[in-house]
């Protein structure tokens, strides 16, 4: 009796997925670490990001989290830019939360493999907070990701 192709692929050594998992973990950790700087930088250089920044009130705070990952970032808008808050900030002080369902979904979005719009349509992340502020945050991130990954097929027009 011959083995099907799916049985053969499950018998392959698992070295590649483990390396890929470690790379994804490192990549998402690095991006979350750099996110406050990236948001502040792109708010200064991108017209679209500046418009969304102006819409959000000073003191507005949002959290970006990856479920089951144990890492996240909380950012707060100041009068001029953004600053990072401690992850232990009480939930009552956070106005909006973006929570990715899985590390792989966060990686797909943060690497530019899929657009934020497709990720939202596919429910790869959940949002909690007022819708009007969520739209501004989504547009802000779209401007940042489009600038970073404009060369990727998902972001080409």
């Amino acid at each position: 009796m011959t083995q099907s192709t799916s049985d053969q692929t499950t018998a392959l050594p698992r070295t590649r997925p483990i390396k890929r998992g470690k790379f994804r973990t490192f990549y998402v950790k690095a991006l979350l670490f750099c996110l406050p700087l990236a948001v502040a930088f792109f708010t200064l250089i991108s017209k679209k990001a500046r418009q969304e920044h102006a819409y959000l009130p000073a003191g507005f705070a949002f959290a970006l989290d990856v479920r089951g990952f144990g890492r996240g970032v909380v950012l707060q808008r100041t009068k001029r830019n953004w600053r990072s808050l401690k992850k232990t900030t009480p939930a009552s002080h956070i106005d909006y939360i973006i929570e990715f369902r899985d590390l792989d979904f966060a990686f797909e979005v943060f690497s530019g493999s899929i657009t934020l719009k497709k990720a939202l349509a596919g429910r790869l992340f959940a949002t909690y907070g007022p819708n009007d502020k969520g739209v501004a945050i989504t547009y802000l991130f779209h401007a940042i990701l489009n600038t970073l990954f404009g060369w990727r097929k998902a972001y080409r027009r």
Side-chain angles (χ1 to χ4, degrees), residues 25-152:
T25 301
F26 173 75
Y27 184 86
V28 172
K29 279 182 185 179
L31 194 73
L32 288 175
F33 179 77
C34 296
L35 189 63
L37 180 63
V39 172
F41 179 71
F42 283 103
T43 299
L44 296 174
I45 66 165
S46 169
K47 182 180 176 182
K48 181 69 174 169
R50 254 191 321 274
Q51 291 171 344
E52 300 308 327
H53 170 80
Y55 178 78
L56 298 167
F60 176 81
F62 80 94
L64 183 70
D65 200 16
V66 180
R67 194 180 301 161
F69 187 52
R71 296 227 180 208
V73 66
V74 180
L75 298 176
Q76 183 178 40
R77 185 192 182 283
T78 62
K79 284 184 178 182
R80 300 184 72 199
N81 224 323
W82 292 88
R83 70 181 177 119
S84 181
L85 297 176
K86 294 189 184 293
K87 179 69 173 126
T88 57
T89 303
S92 61
H93 291 40
I94 299 173
D95 300 306
Y96 199 78
I97 299 171
I98 300 172
E99 181 183 47
F100 282 92
R101 290 179 28 211
D102 192 306
L103 175 68
D104 292 333
F105 296 145
F107 177 79
E108 294 298 320
V109 172
F110 293 155
S111 66
S113 295
I114 59 173
T115 63
L116 200 57
K117 184 178 179 179
K118 286 184 181 178
L120 183 59
R123 299 181 184 198
L124 303 184
F125 62 91
T127 57
Y128 308 97
N131 195 36
D132 62 329
K133 306 298 188 241
V135 170
I137 291 292
T138 303
Y139 283 152
L140 177 66
F141 273 101
H142 179 73
I144 292 169
L145 292 171
N146 195 23
T147 303
L148 287 174
F149 302 117
W151 56 274
R152 296 289 305 254

